Amino acid sequence: MRRTNLAISLSFLLFPAVAAAAEITDVLDAADGDDPYDFNLEVTYDHQEAWGLIQREYQCSNTRVDAQGNTTTLSPSQAGYDPNCVKGDRLVNAREMDYRRTVDTVNFLARFAIWRDLELRVLLPYIASDQTTLSLAGTGGDPGLKPIKAYCVKGQDCSPSSIYREDAAGNPDVLNSLFQLPFTGPDRGGIGDMEFGLWWSPWNAERDDTVATWMLGINYLAPTAEVMQAGQTVDGVLQEGTGLGRKVHELTFTTRMSRRFSKMDPYLGFDFTLVLNDRKSLFDDYGRGQTLITPGNNFAIAFGSEVVPWENPQKHQKFSIDFGGRFAYQFEGRDYSPIFDALGASTCSDSARRAGAQGCTLTTLKGTGPGSDIMLANGITDVEQYGEVWGWFGFNVQASRFVKFRTQVNISHQFDHFLTSADSGKDNRKTEFQVVDGVEVPRYRPGFIDPGTEEENPTFNSNLDMIGRRLRLAEHLNLTAFVTAALTF
């Protein structure tokens, strides 16, 4: 699951102005009069905290059917009554898990001026720590709700969770749990995926104060880091998860514009990220009726302004305040998610129990490999499309011609979306019959996903993707703070 840093893009703002452009549209220049070259080295320490609630769908019902087929509706005073179902039988979202992720990163950014307003950028991230934890959720402060709601069958006792269950002795019931809770994922660290960028300013207000500053850019995120893999449980022993990257190629097309007037320097931007698969990734193409293979693309729009309360151009000194917002739309795709490590490391996937054990069907996919009908899940799931909103506030300090500092706080929210939402397959719209025991029966029926045919989606897991069992991320909040020191030459 790649952490998305603040990436802002295109702009169109026209105001009467003079003076330099905003920081986000700044492009280094070279061979420009008495300025033969420009080179910047920036070091950023970035701390991120993310929280969220993971829910699971279940069919809420207070209707019971006895052995004789008689139907009764439980009252609040009766045993087995479900207070989550006061509005009648319906599909509801149960509070299952609290999610938290903490990431500490040091980014090294080198910026080189190539010619005039053309800049080359190279980013090398070092992830000091990246860890996810999951725990049983509470009631969210609502005294009318049970702490955890599990599946109830004909009024039988419910386990504490539909995700994690314990036996009568209070020990983990690994054959009937998707994974154990609480869960602490591996603490990953090391060099992340490198990024290379080429930025160009066709218009520059520093050269012509009658125009806005306009920047066009393309960034390439290369799959240089080891692929991120969850730690599988092999013969009862948990193997530690490894890797930091998704092993995909990402191209981000960016454009930004800013226009200074008086002490204000507003900006607007757009960017679009195209994701291309790499053969070493976990995003395999299993063929048949698979509907999604790679992570989804991303589109974003950002806007904001710098306010410059004080500056001294002669001494190359400046103090500015930066604030703004951003909206991004993440398209659906197969991707890493908050449950990646927990699913991939599930004891239910123990190879000693994979053949015929009841619980192992909870975390397997329908395999297409030679001689095998099952395949252990690697933690990757089909993630639903969602929107994300950002807001930020920061300070920029140009202490001298050669030294800059920047600090900023960002807060973002992802709209609720399903983490497990694979389709059951793809209808090929064919009508075809086959003969079974001398009887002609339909093999393909238009409008249906026919079981046992290549229309089935091999990544569809009925225990995760079927309506009534899907997992959903809600109440997500992400807080990021960073500090940057830059040497400019």
Side-chain angles (χ1 to χ4, degrees):
M1 190 168 45
R2 178 177 175 238
R3 179 174 53 86
T4 304
N5 288 323
L6 186 63
I8 314 176
S9 357
L10 175 205
S11 317
F12 187 92
L13 290 173
L14 296 177
F15 296 98
V18 292
E23 289 290 330
I24 71 159
T25 56
D26 180 47
V27 175
L28 301 186
D29 59 351
D32 184 16
D34 59 354
D35 184 15
Y37 69 91
D38 276 348
F39 168 70
N40 283 14
L41 178 61
E42 302 179 7
V43 180
T44 300
Y45 170 71
D46 186 315
H47 178 76
Q48 174 189 257
E49 296 275 353
W51 305 269
L53 171 70
I54 298 178
Q55 303 170 327
R56 196 180 198 199
E57 295 178 316
Y58 78 100
Q59 181 60 45
C60 169
S61 177
N62 281 313
T63 301
R64 301 292 182 265
V65 180
D66 60 22
Q68 289 73 40
N70 300 317
T71 301
T72 59
T73 301
L74 298 178
S75 65
S77 60
Q78 291 180 289
Y81 174 80
D82 183 358
N84 297 302
C85 197
V86 294
K87 296 182 180 179
D89 296 358
R90 61 195 180 106
L91 197 66
V92 298
N93 294 307
R95 302 175 63 89
E96 285 281 350
M97 296 172 281
D98 289 321
Y99 151 71
R100 182 172 183 176
R101 184 185 182 193
T102 303
V103 184
D104 289 287
T105 307
V106 180
N107 290 306
F108 300 92
L109 175 64
R111 303 170 59 190
F112 306 89
I114 299 176
W115 176 259
R116 300 284 281 185
D117 297 309
L118 183 64
E119 173 188 322
L120 173 67
R121 305 165 63 91
V122 180
L123 175 67
L124 177 67
Y126 174 76
I127 291 89
S129 176
D130 183 353
Q131 190 168 47
T132 295
T133 59
L134 301 171
S135 58
L136 285 169
T139 63
D142 188 341
L145 296 180
K146 295 179 180 179
I148 291 292
K149 177 61 190 176
Y151 295 104
C152 297
V153 181
K154 296 183 180 179
Q156 297 176 5
D157 291 339
C158 297
S159 62
S161 167
S162 66
I163 298 298
Y164 170 63
R165 301 184 179 187
E166 296 179 346
D167 59 23
N171 299 314
D173 182 3
V174 296
L175 289 182
N176 293 288
S177 299
L178 287 178
F179 45 79
Q180 295 185 36
L181 292 173
F183 174 82
T184 300
D187 188 2
R188 293 183 168 89
I191 302 296
D193 289 335
M194 292 185 65
E195 187 169 326
F196 305 88
L198 197 63
W199 288 14
W200 174 55
S201 283
W203 299 346
N204 191 328
E206 293 189 61
R207 300 182 186 280
D208 183 354
D209 60 15
T210 65
V211 301
T213 297
W214 179 25
M215 185 278 287
L216 296 170
I218 180 169
N219 292 325
Y220 168 56
L221 184 76
T224 55
E226 182 183 355
V227 64
M228 187 187 301
Q229 299 192 59
Q232 294 283 355
T233 301
V234 179
D235 299 329
V237 180
L238 177 63
Q239 310 298 311
E240 187 73 3
T242 59
L244 289 164
R246 296 193 300 176
K247 278 296 179 186
V248 294
H249 305 265
E250 294 186 25
L251 289 173
T252 300
F253 304 92
T254 298
T255 181
R256 309 171 181 173
M257 189 173 284
S258 66
R259 184 64 164 139
R260 176 77 179 271
F261 70 101
S262 185
K263 296 185 179 296
M264 299 290 292
D265 201 345
Y267 52 82
L268 177 66
F270 299 94
D271 59 52
F272 176 75
T273 299
L274 176 67
V275 181
L276 303 173
N277 203 6
D278 185 271
R279 62 183 180 84
K280 295 181 180 180
S281 77
L282 299 187
F283 308 115
D284 296 322
D285 184 354
Y286 303 110
R288 298 167 61 183
Q290 186 173 354
T291 56
L292 297 173
I293 298 174
T294 61
N297 301 325
N298 185 280
F299 172 78
I301 179 172
F303 56 88
S305 180
E306 279 190 24
V307 179
V308 186
W310 177 84
E311 63 181 329
N312 187 336
Q314 288 73 29
K315 294 185 177 182
H316 303 278
Q317 294 176 329
K318 175 182 173 182
F319 172 74
S320 65
I321 301 169
D322 191 346
F323 58 91
R326 178 176 185 255
F327 174 78
Y329 183 81
Q330 177 64 46
F331 292 83
E332 67 175 349
R334 284 185 63 74
D335 211 342
Y336 294 84
S337 76
I339 59 172
F340 163 73
D341 278 309
L343 277 179
S346 173
T347 53
C348 182
S349 293
D350 192 327
S351 60
R353 294 190 296 272
R354 62 180 292 182
Q358 176 188 358
C360 288
T361 61
L362 296 177
T363 55
T364 57
L365 307 177
K366 300 172 184 176
T368 56
S372 176
D373 292 327
I374 63 172
M375 175 175 54
L376 297 182
N378 57 14
I380 299 294
T381 57
D382 284 28
V383 179
E384 185 185 32
Q385 68 275 4
Y386 62 90
E388 184 172 13
V389 292
W390 292 68
W392 62 83
F393 185 84
F395 301 96
N396 303 304
V397 177
Q398 176 85 48
S400 69
R401 181 174 183 176
F402 303 107
V403 180
K404 281 185 178 181
F405 298 97
R406 177 177 177 81
T407 182
Q408 186 167 298
V409 175
N410 311 323
I411 188 168
S412 69
H413 167 69
Q414 291 181 9
F415 293 97
D416 299 354
H417 60 280
F418 286 108
L419 302 175
T420 56
S421 63
D423 295 327
S424 59
K426 291 189 295 187
D427 178 23
N428 61 17
R429 303 184 183 278
K430 294 195 302 185
T431 301
E432 184 177 305
F433 295 88
Q434 61 183 345
V435 177
V436 179
D437 297 330
V439 179
E440 191 176 64
V441 296
R443 174 174 171 80
Y444 295 111
R445 298 165 296 167
F448 296 89
I449 306 299
D450 297 292
T453 71
E454 61 267 23
E455 289 184 339
E456 283 192 300
N457 183 356
T459 67
F460 176 81
N461 188 318
S462 60
N463 289 283
L464 293 172
D465 300 303
M466 183 180 291
I467 294 176
R469 299 179 182 180
R470 295 175 296 181
L471 292 169
R472 181 173 181 261
L473 180 63
E475 302 178 15
H476 180 273
L477 189 67
N478 190 319
L479 182 65
T480 304
F482 68 82
V483 178
T484 299
L487 297 178
T488 63
F489 301 95

